[in-house]
């Protein structure tokens, strides 16, 4: 059942701390609840630990915002994630926001450049969507089908990924009841399920497209019924071959072309260079030959460019 429950267990954390104590509730077949306590510290561990922390925090942020009647957008969550990444102090990870002077270029939430020794960088263009309760009390992604000029945001995401040679992904920010989380837990590595990791999930565009284009419900259940919709921790876990960097074919059904690795990294560098000399829109379009791509989405305030750049160097 894709609806909320009042028996939801919540993560607990001290404000401003990256050390969390998490209370996890698992409901057995008899209906009883088993309580488990787990403590972890993000700082000094790894990117995996950091992204696990962010997923648990997102779960709690959305629950509390809903309970207190506060508006909480995808942009707010992404900015809080940026803050936590910066505060973590982890080596090999950097996050930057596209200059304020270039806001009119913004089209997507994230561009991730993930590197590890002996492998070509994996470049992902990521669109975030926040779950909310609709009038029927279902876990809805009401803004999934979002217009961009004469087309849709999803079309721009895919076109830009194709141009850049990147992988188009959707990131979903969630907070659901425990029974629903257990029902749609798709990671085969993490057992028993760590349900608060569903706070941040990833799905390839091929999974999201039928839900986006169809007439059925655009909600948590319709997306996460696919086994390819997984907690974002799986992107960094060495044993999660369902979504791991070592086997992209399992979550990417087509090969994206684009200008090649060097050109893609040059594009990232242009977006993140010294904020005192931000690249202008006309220069960006001319330098990288974006005229055709931009013309497809000719509308005020929208050019398909990511808003945040995450660079991550993994060990081994």
């Amino acid at each position: 059942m894709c609806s909320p429950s009042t028996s939801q267990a919540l993560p607990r954390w001290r404000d401003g701390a990256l050390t969390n104590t998490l209370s996890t509730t698992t409901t057995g077949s008899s209906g009883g609840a088993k309580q488990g306590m787990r403590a972890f510290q993000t700082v000094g561990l790894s990117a995996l630990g950091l992204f696990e922390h962010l997923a648990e925090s997102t779960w709690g942020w959305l629950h509390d915002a809903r309970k207190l009647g506060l508006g909480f957008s995808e942009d707010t969550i992404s900015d809080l994630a940026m803050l936590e990444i910066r505060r973590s102090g982890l080596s090999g990870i950097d996050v930057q926001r596209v200059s304020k002077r270039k806001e009119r270029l913004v089209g997507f939430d994230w561009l991730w450049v993930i590197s590890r020794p002996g492998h070509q960088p994996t470049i992902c263009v990521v669109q975030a969507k926040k779950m909310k309760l609709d009038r029927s009390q279902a876990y809805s992604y009401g803004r999934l089908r979002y217009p961009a000029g004469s087309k849709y945001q999803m079309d721009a995401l895919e076109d830009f990924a194709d141009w850049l040679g990147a992988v188009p992904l959707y990131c979903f920010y969630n907070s659901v009841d425990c029974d629903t989380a257990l029902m749609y837990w798709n990671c085969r590595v993490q057992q028993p399920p760590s349900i608060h990791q569903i706070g941040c999930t990833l799905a390839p565009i091929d999974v999201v497209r039928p839900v986006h284009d169809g007439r059925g419900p655009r909600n948590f259940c319709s997306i996460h019924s696919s086994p390819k919709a997984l907690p974002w921790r799986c992107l960094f876990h060495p044993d999660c071959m369902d979504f791991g960097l070592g086997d992209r074919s399992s979550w990417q059904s087509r090969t994206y072309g684009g200008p090649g690795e060097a050109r893609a990294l040059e594009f990232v560098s242009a977006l993140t260079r010294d904020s005192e000399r931000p690249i202008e829109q006309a220069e960006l379009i001319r330098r990288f030959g974006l005229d055709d791509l931009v013309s497809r989405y000719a509308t005020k305030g929208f050019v398909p460019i990511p808003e945040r750049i995450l660079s991550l160097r993994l060990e081994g």
Side-chain angles (χ1 to χ4, degrees):
M1 181 177 181
C2 211
S3 58
S5 168
T6 57
S7 62
Q8 182 175 2
L10 296 176
R12 297 179 180 179
W13 59 86
R14 296 193 308 274
D15 185 30
L18 286 178
T19 302
N20 291 2
T21 301
L22 175 65
S23 175
T24 304
T25 301
T26 304
T27 303
S29 58
S30 62
K34 299 178 181 179
Q35 297 286 343
M37 299 300 294
R38 179 167 69 88
F40 73 93
Q41 186 171 5
T42 300
V43 175
L45 287 181
S46 63
L48 174 63
L50 173 60
F51 277 78
E52 287 179 337
H53 161 73
L54 292 173
E56 293 172 351
S57 296
T58 297
W59 177 293
W61 291 332
L62 286 176
H63 176 274
D64 290 349
R66 184 168 64 225
K67 183 177 179 180
L68 297 172
L70 300 175
F72 221 59
S73 68
E74 292 98 348
D75 202 52
T76 299
I77 298 171
S78 296
D79 281 344
L80 286 170
M82 248 186 81
L83 174 64
E84 292 287 69
I85 291 169
R86 284 281 186 90
R87 290 169 62 191
S88 72
L90 289 177
S91 62
I93 186 168
D94 182 52
V95 63
Q96 299 186 51
R97 191 181 182 96
V98 173
S99 169
K100 290 291 185 182
R101 286 180 56 188
K102 300 194 289 292
E103 281 186 342
R104 65 180 182 275
L105 300 177
V106 169
F108 313 119
D109 292 278
W110 294 95
L111 190 146
W112 295 346
V113 181
I114 306 171
S115 306
R116 63 173 181 167
H119 295 77
Q120 291 185 343
T122 296
I123 301 174
C124 303
V125 184
V126 184
Q127 179 63 58
K129 292 295 175 184
K130 177 182 70 75
M131 185 215 76
K132 68 175 183 178
L133 289 177
D134 63 18
R135 291 182 179 179
S136 63
Q137 295 295 289
Y139 298 129
S140 171
Y141 301 121
R143 291 165 59 89
L144 182 63
R145 191 174 172 86
Y146 193 80
S150 59
K151 302 178 78 174
Y152 289 96
Q153 191 180 55
M154 172 176 281
D155 301 317
L157 179 74
E158 188 163 36
D159 284 348
F160 179 73
D162 199 8
W163 174 83
L164 190 62
V167 178
L169 296 175
Y170 270 78
C171 175
F172 295 98
Y173 299 140
N174 309 296
S175 182
V176 300
D177 66 273
C178 296
D179 290 342
T180 299
L182 289 171
M183 185 181 302
Y184 292 93
W185 180 262
N186 294 318
C187 178
R188 294 194 295 266
V189 173
Q190 178 64 51
Q191 296 293 338
S194 178
I195 59 174
H196 297 117
Q197 290 306 310
I198 283 181
C200 296
T201 56
L202 296 173
I205 199 168
D206 297 335
V207 167
V208 183
R209 171 71 74 178
V211 178
H212 176 278
D213 294 348
R215 296 185 178 181
R218 301 183 182 105
N219 60 24
F220 178 88
C221 298
S222 60
I223 295 291
H224 293 82
S225 60
S226 169
K228 292 184 179 182
L230 293 161
W232 72 0
R233 70 184 293 279
C234 294
L235 188 62
F236 308 100
H237 198 290
D239 297 326
C240 285
M241 295 309 293
D242 295 304
F243 216 102
L245 296 176
D247 185 18
R248 290 197 299 171
S249 63
S250 66
W251 51 277
Q252 177 187 349
S253 64
R254 61 172 287 192
T255 300
Y256 289 82
E261 176 188 335
R263 188 73 162 166
L265 295 179
E266 181 186 355
F267 179 81
V268 173
S269 177
L271 283 179
T272 58
R273 74 185 193 184
D274 189 347
S275 60
E276 296 299 319
R277 300 181 299 104
I279 190 168
E280 297 296 332
Q281 178 175 353
E283 180 189 350
L284 189 76
I285 293 171
R286 176 191 57 78
R287 178 174 167 185
F288 292 96
L290 286 165
D291 304 77
D292 179 61
L293 183 61
V294 170
S295 67
R296 300 177 209 172
Y297 304 94
T299 183
K300 183 178 180 182
F302 187 91
V303 176
I305 302 298
E307 186 169 355
R308 301 166 190 84
I309 311 292
L310 172 69
S311 299
L312 180 63
R313 295 182 299 278
L314 303 178
E315 297 180 359

